[in-house]
Amino acid sequence: MKFEILAPAGSPESLVAGVRSGADAVYLGGKLFNARRNAGNFDDEELKKAVEYCHQRGVKVYLTLNILISDEELSLAYQQVKAALEAGVDAFIVQDIGTAKIIREHFPSARLHGSTQMSIMSPSGVKYAEESGFSRVVLPREMTLDEIKEIKESSNIELELFVHGALCMSVSGQCYLSSMIGSRSGNRGLCAQPCRLPFTAGGEKTHALSLKDLSLIKDLPLLEGITSLKIEGRMKRPEYVSAAVTAVKKAINGCYTSADEFTLRSVFSRSGFTDGYLLDKRGSQMFGTRQKEDVVSAQNVLKEISHNYDNENPLVPMDIAFECRENQPCTLTATALGKTVTVTGDVPEKAINKPMTADSLAQRLSKLGGTQFFADNVSVSLDEGLIVPVSKINELRRRAVEMLNVTENAEVVSKPLSIILPEEKSSTPYATAVFSSPEQIPDRHPFKRIFIPLNSSAEDFVDNRAGAVLPRGMFGCEKEIAKKLEKLKKIGVRKILCPNIGGYQLAKDMGFEVYGDFGLNIFNSESANLISSPILSFELTLEQANRINADDTGIIAYGKVPLMLTRNCPVKNDIGCYECNKNGRLTDRKGYEFPVVCSDYPCVELLNCVPVYMLDRLDEIKTDFIHFYFSTESRRDVEKVIEFYEKGSKPDFKYTRGLYERGTV
C-alpha cells in the first residue's frame, strides 16, 4: 500500500515526534487563522525553522488556514500566506472559499487543499473544488466506503482522509453549538467541545453527543485511492503523535497487531475506537466518553513511547561517490533530497604501511549516525597505495551533510492585494423564507422567495410557486437528488436554495437559479461574491454582515437555527425511533431542550432551543434581504411570526439575538 502519512504538529515537540516516527508530511497552524487556535502553533520564525527541519528530512509541510476569515482579517491572512510561502510551505489547508480565491489569484505557486470544514461530500462538491483550484480535498469523517469510491471514480483529485483521532458528533463545518452557547466558534478555531458535556434524549445515555475516537488503521487495505492518511491531534501531546504515526506505518507495512492497537488506546481513547461510519455501521456502539481507566492506562505508556523519538531517525537516502587519485585533491559527491553537492579535500599521501581500501573507505563514509541520512549507494574510485587521515574523511562527510541541509529561500511570485471596500446600503430589506413542510405556509405571506423540501409533492411546488431547498447532508445521494431536480425542472421549478457547496454546483450545472444558504458559511465579501444571493453566516455580528460588499445578501432574522448536522441520530441511539415519533429532544445539563429534526436524507439536525429574532430591529439591518427559517413551527406559529414582523414588534415568546450582538471570539 502506498499512502502519505500526515501527522498533526500542534507544537515543535510534536512535529519532531511525528517526523522521527516516520511521517511523510505534517500539518500545522500559524498563530492566526487555524482551527486549533489553542494549540502551541508557530509564529513566522518558528514556521521557517519547522519547514527547514522537515524539508531536510524529505517531509512536506501543510499550513492550516482552515477557519472562516472576516473582511477585516483578509489582509493579515494574505500576509501569513506570503510569509508561509517564503518559508517554503508546501500547501495550504483552506476552509473559506473567499480566502482560497485570494490565494489562487495572488500566489500562483500555492497549492490548495480543501479542508474537511468545507463539507465536500459528493462528486459535485469535488468538481467545485477542482474548478476553484484545489489539488486535494479532505473528506468528511462520516463517509462510507461506497461514498468514497463514488467520489474517487468521479475525479482524479487527491483525497485525504482522517484515519485516527477525535470524532466530532457534527459534520465538520456544520457545527454552531459552541458558538451559539458560548461564543467560541469551531468555524473560527476555538470550539469549546460542548458536545462532550452531558446531554440526554430521555433514555439512559448521559452523553448523547459524545462519540468514541475514530480509528481506521486496521481498515487501510480498504482505502484504495486515498492519497493521504490524516491523523487528528494538534491539541495532543508528542507521545500521542508518535504512537499514531508508528501504528499507521506498521499497518501500511502489514504488521499492525492487537498490541499496537492496545498501545494506541492506552495513549488516548474514549471508551475505545470506532470505524462505524466507514463500514456503514452507525449506532449506539459508536458512542463513548473519556473514562478513568482511559486516563490511568495512558500514564503507563507515555514514558515508554517518548523514547521512540529521542534520536534522529535515518529517513533520507544519500548516494555517495568518493574519488581519491594520486596527486589530486580527493572529492566527495553526495546526492540527497533532490540536490547534489561536491566537497574537496586534501591531496592523498603515499601509504607507508597499510594503504586504504575501497571497502574500508565505503564503511567509513557510510557512518551517518546522528543525522537524518543513511548511506544508500556508495561508490569509491581509489588509486592504489594511498592514504587520507580518518579525520579528513569525516570532515568531508560532515561538510557534505551541512551543504545538503542548507535551505534556500523560496522565491515567491505574488500580486498585491486590493480589498473590496464596503458600500452603504439604505433600502428596506425584502423577506424570504424556508419551510420544513408545505403545510406551514399561510395563505398570505410577505415572502419574495419561498423554499420547501426537495421531497415535497409536485402540487405543493406549483400551488405555492416555491423553490426547493436541498439537504445540507448529501452523503451518497447526489444521483437521487439529481433525478428529483430533473422532475422539478419539468414542472417549472427554477429556484434552488443550496446549503452545501456540492448541491450548489449540481443545481448550477443543471441550469437552475441557485441561491446560497447558511451552510455555505459565507463570512466575508470575497466569499459572498462567489455565491448567488447568499444567506450570510449567522456567526457574523450584525455590523459585519451589514458591511459585506456583495449583491443581494441576506441574514437569518428569524428561526431556530441548526446547531449540528449529524449522521448519527442521538435520539435514535438512546430511546429509538418509535419512542421518538419524530418529536426528538436533547436536554442539556441546565435543562434547556434542543429539538432534533429528522430528514429524508442521511442526516439529522439539532436545532437551537429558542429562535433567533431580529424582526423588531429591521432599521439596523442593511443587508438586501432577511430570511425566515421555519422548522418546528405550526402554521399558526408562522402566521404569528409574520404578524410580529409586519408590526416590527418584540415577540411574546423566548428568543435570542444570537451572535449578531455578541459575536464570536
Side-chain angles (χ1 to χ4, degrees), residues 65 125 151 275 342 523 533 585:
L65 281 169
I151 284 181
D275 57 3
T342 299
F523 206 77
S533 303
R585 294 283 190 276

Side-chain angles (χ1 to χ4, degrees), residues 438 452-466 487-488 490-493:
I452 58 178
L454 185 63
N455 279 353
S456 302
S457 70
E459 291 79 8
D460 285 325
F461 280 106
V462 173
D463 292 348
N464 293 289
R465 290 179 290 178
K487 291 179 179 179
L488 291 182
K490 290 177 180 178
I491 63 171
V493 174

Side-chain angles (χ1 to χ4, degrees), residues 510-525:
M510 294 181 69
F512 287 94
E513 292 178 29
V514 288
Y515 298 84
D517 204 354
F518 71 91
L520 298 178
N521 291 322
I522 303 302
F523 206 77
N524 57 56
S525 298

